Amino acid sequence: MSIVECAAFPESYELYRHPSGLTILVNENRELAKAYAVYAANFGSVINHFRVGENEVRLPDGIAHFLEHKLFENEEGDAFAKFGKVGGNANAFTDFDITAYLFSCTSGFRENLEILLDFVKRPYFTDQSVQKEQGIIGQEIKMYEDHPGWRVSFNLLRALYRKNSVRIDIAGDVDSIAQITPELLYETYHAFYRPSNMVLCVSGNASLADVLAVADRILEPEKPGEPVVRLTEQEPAEITQSFITQQLPVAKPIFAIGYKDTDPAHGAELARRECGMEILSNLLFGKASRLYNELYEEGLINSEFGAGYACSDTFAYLEIEGESDRPEQVFERVKAEVARVRAEGLDRAAFERSKKLVYGRLIASANLPENIGNMMARSFFLGQRYYDRFEAAKEITCEEVAALLPKLTESAAALSTITPQK
């Protein structure tokens, strides 16, 4: 067991390598009434091709999300019902590079954790249950096909990326999930749901001793096995297209503008990059920015306008979203403002304000055990400490953030719009 400490403020968490191969992170806070646990696999929707030994496997789009749904069900019924009996509030989610199973509770932490670790380690798939789930997820996919906010963002990713699977909807499509079989689910599960490819993060009113009391009973010692090698195609630096549009039943056009970052980072460097890009995006496009106020006063945008940076160690992009009757004009103004700031340099006072805002948001996020647990898991899979972002936000300089401006080039930019159906 080791202690991971934060240099930005007096905070720490415990890190423990379990004999099963699982990494356990615990941020204990007995002043809170709630405990939160997230059990996550380093496996998300962007992984669709891998090799184990001599066996090479191509996965249908959406299988990570499908597997997340199916793990809650086994021969004994639905795991949600078990959580309900011991006062646990359970859920799960699949993202581009992570699948997570979680619960929160105000009592019965050990009982809830036992349910969590037990159902995740006992997959159960049949032809009948898979076919049933294909129908359920197929309806979910159709719902998202008509969701304007979802479509504008994924259309943008299709414009930015040519090869990277981040361009594909997390749930896949109806045709891709129709290819999923129990045998393929088992093969995928055994490749990626090894404890050594997972992390258990606990925050709030629970201790490492509480966790180990359950983990030592439920998890078996690690067994040697063939390593899993992820296979990916090289993503070109160029974007696929600079403009993409779709018609849906919306009252007002919505848009998403993206800048493709062609140089993804890893570990602490990625945490610093993410922090710097958040500061930069707020400085350029936040509600206190020159551009936001000009566009707002001219009636080109409304208060829905905002920006953020999404990243992993295989992709990264800056996204600006909003509503406008003239999204193409907003796109041109965004590009012009980036070019102006790149030529004139950053305003140091504006940088300091943006830096304080980003740091303040990080501190606020650390008030909730759910945020802490989820970010500990995400950070771990990216080769980071949970505190890397806090330290970066406190230390980063104006010069470092200014050095990120050349990434925002016109050739790396694309516009996605959703316009009202005629």
Side-chain angles (χ1 to χ4, degrees):
M1 192 271 288
S2 60
I3 303 295
V4 180
E5 296 183 328
C6 181
F9 50 84
E11 183 69 64
S12 65
Y13 59 89
E14 295 168 292
L15 184 153
Y16 181 83
R17 307 285 185 185
H18 193 264
S20 63
L22 177 68
T23 298
I24 299 171
L25 309 178
V26 179
N27 180 257
E28 181 180 352
N29 186 344
R30 290 298 186 181
E31 295 181 0
L32 297 177
K34 180 191 295 184
Y36 177 80
V38 55
Y39 192 24
N42 190 10
F43 175 60
S45 67
V46 299
I47 300 173
N48 58 13
H49 191 193
F50 67 94
R51 184 175 63 246
V52 181
E54 299 299 319
N55 184 32
E56 187 172 322
V57 181
R58 286 190 177 273
L59 298 173
D61 297 332
I63 194 168
H65 173 258
F66 199 101
L67 186 53
E68 172 225 309
H69 275 231
K70 289 306 303 162
L71 272 188
F72 277 95
E73 182 182 337
N74 58 37
E75 307 99 311
E76 300 170 5
D78 192 328
F80 282 112
K82 294 183 179 180
F83 281 111
K85 291 178 181 178
V86 295
N89 182 18
N91 210 332
F93 65 86
T94 303
D95 208 336
F96 293 125
D97 48 15
I98 188 173
T99 306
Y101 305 86
L102 55 95
F103 72 83
S104 62
C105 63
T106 55
S107 63
F109 173 81
R110 293 188 182 189
E111 292 85 349
N112 280 283
L113 182 60
E114 181 172 342
I115 295 169
L116 177 67
L117 297 184
D118 183 65
F119 87 77
V120 173
K121 84 166 194 175
R122 292 197 295 133
Y124 176 72
F125 314 122
T126 66
D127 288 329
Q128 183 179 8
S129 67
V130 168
Q131 290 171 7
K132 177 183 176 182
E133 199 65 40
Q134 285 166 336
I136 294 170
I137 294 180
Q139 291 300 314
E140 182 180 336
I141 289 170
K142 291 177 181 178
M143 178 183 71
Y144 278 106
E145 286 176 349
D146 296 328
H147 190 289
W150 188 263
R151 288 267 53 85
V152 76
S153 290
F154 269 95
N155 288 350
L156 174 66
L157 291 176
R158 290 188 175 93
L160 293 177
Y161 289 92
R162 188 182 306 272
K163 299 288 187 180
N164 196 301
S165 298
V166 72
R167 68 193 302 275
I168 299 168
D169 284 26
I170 290 171
D173 59 36
V174 173
D175 291 335
S176 69
I177 65 169
Q179 303 170 36
I180 295 173
T181 64
E183 294 76 19
L184 190 55
L185 286 172
Y186 277 117
E187 186 172 24
T188 305
Y189 174 89
H190 290 301
F192 293 102
Y193 279 72
R194 308 175 182 190
S196 58
N197 192 54
M198 302 182 75
V199 67
L200 173 62
C201 300
V202 174
S203 56
N205 194 357
S207 67
L208 179 60
D210 291 325
V211 176
L212 294 182
V214 179
D216 289 345
R217 285 190 294 105
I218 301 295
L219 302 177
E220 300 173 356
E222 185 174 17
K223 298 176 182 177
E226 293 277 6
V228 178
V229 180
R230 301 181 185 187
L231 304 174
T232 59
E233 294 187 76
Q234 183 65 36
E235 172 66 31
E238 299 78 16
I239 63 173
T240 303
Q241 59 198 92
S242 60
F243 178 68
I244 186 170
T245 188
Q246 181 180 357
Q247 289 188 348
L248 285 173
V250 293
K252 188 180 185 72
I254 64 174
F255 66 86
I257 297 166
Y259 282 90
K260 180 180 180 180
D261 187 342
T262 59
D263 180 32
H266 183 70
E269 181 187 354
L270 177 59
R272 207 167 184 95
R273 170 86 61 81
E274 184 176 9
C275 174
M277 290 297 285
E278 286 291 344
I279 291 171
L280 182 60
S281 66
N282 180 70
L283 193 153
L284 291 171
F285 313 116
K287 288 182 168 54
S289 68
R290 166 175 160 172
L291 179 66
Y292 177 92
N293 285 282
E294 287 180 352
L295 295 178
Y296 190 87
E297 290 173 5
E298 295 171 28
L300 286 173
I301 61 169
N302 55 27
S303 61
E304 297 298 313
F305 188 83
Y309 185 67
C311 63
S312 179
D313 46 9
T314 60
F315 65 86
Y317 58 94
L318 177 66
E319 183 172 0
I320 308 141
E321 293 186 343
E323 297 178 348
S324 177
D325 291 321
R326 289 169 284 174
E328 292 88 352
Q329 190 171 339
V330 175
F331 186 37
E332 295 304 317
R333 294 284 291 276
V334 164
K335 291 187 291 185
E337 178 67 3
V338 170
R340 182 192 70 79
V341 175
R342 192 164 54 236
E344 297 178 6
L346 297 182
D347 179 279
R348 192 167 293 273
F351 161 77
E352 292 295 342
R353 289 193 298 271
S354 183
K355 178 179 174 179
K356 289 178 181 177
L357 177 63
V358 169
Y359 185 66
R361 286 173 178 168
L362 280 171
I363 295 296
S365 73
N367 289 326
L368 294 175
E370 293 89 345
N371 291 341
I372 295 170
N374 291 343
M375 285 307 302
M376 283 199 299
R378 179 175 181 265
S379 299
F380 177 77
F381 290 143
L382 294 174
Q384 303 168 359
R385 299 152 60 251
Y386 166 60
Y387 299 127
D388 283 344
R389 285 175 183 77
F390 296 89
E391 293 168 4
K394 194 169 185 179
E395 300 167 357
I396 200 164
T397 66
C398 185
E399 289 72 22
E400 285 181 84
V401 173
L404 298 174
L405 276 165
K407 293 181 174 296
L408 306 183
T409 63
E410 186 164 342
S411 62
L415 169 66
S416 168
T417 66
I418 300 293
T419 59
Q421 288 179 331
K422 297 179 180 179

